[in-house]
């Protein structure tokens, strides 16, 4: 739904953009598009915001494989903190999912051979989050870490 759709850009703004907006603005990231996507969660607004980020990354000469590896590392690290044998932190669970979904989006948008070869591994990683909210019985953190390692190996 729209509310869930708006979480990813809103969290990204909060945790990255808002901490150093000058870097993102200078790279061509359109803050207004991101804020609108976070507010509405509408598919068209999300697509416009993420397309803008993809364009800014390409324009800046960014290495999609390195960014995907970083996002996968964030996703698996947050997940291992969120999912413990006797509890699940619902906020960090969603943050980890957001990083995994961002990696998936970038892998699908990139036409580099290395990132294209990692798409199936990234999809398998995202599949380990069975739902957007923390479930009663989440995937064990060891499985997420193992799949994250597969992605990173493919991208190396």
């Amino acid at each position: 739904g729209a509310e869930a759709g708006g979480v990813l850009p809103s969290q990204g703004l909060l945790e990255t953009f808002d901490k150093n907006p000058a870097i993102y603005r200078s790279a061509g990231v359109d803050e207004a598009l991101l804020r609108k996507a976070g507010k509405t969660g509408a598919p068209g607004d999300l697509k416009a915001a993420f397309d803008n980020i993809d364009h800014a990354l390409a324009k800046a000469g960014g290495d999609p494989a390195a960014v995907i590896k970083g996002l996968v590392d964030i996703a698996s690290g947050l997940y291992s903190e969120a999912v413990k044998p006797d509890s699940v932190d619902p906020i960090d669970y969603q943050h980890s999912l957001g990083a995994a979904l961002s990696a998936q989006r970038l892998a699908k948008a990139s036409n580099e051979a290395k990132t294209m070869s990692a798409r199936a591994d990234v999809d398998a990683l995202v599949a380990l989050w069975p739902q957007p909210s923390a479930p009663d019985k989440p995937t064990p953190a060891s499985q997420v870490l193992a799949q994250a390692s597969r992605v990173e190996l493919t991208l190396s």
Side-chain angles (χ1 to χ4, degrees), residues 22 48 81 97 111:
E81 291 298 316
L97 173 58
N111 292 322

Side-chain angles (χ1 to χ4, degrees), residues 5-36:
V7 170
L8 181 61
S10 295
Q11 201 61 42
L13 284 162
L14 178 67
E15 293 190 14
T16 59
F17 188 96
D18 291 344
K19 291 182 180 181
N20 200 343
I23 288 175
Y24 294 97
R25 289 181 185 133
S26 69
V29 174
D30 186 331
E31 179 180 2
L33 286 175
L34 291 174
R35 296 215 183 269
K36 183 178 180 186

Side-chain angles (χ1 to χ4, degrees), residues 25 31 108 117 145 153:
R25 289 181 185 133
E31 179 180 2
K108 287 182 180 181
S117 68
L145 291 171
L153 182 62

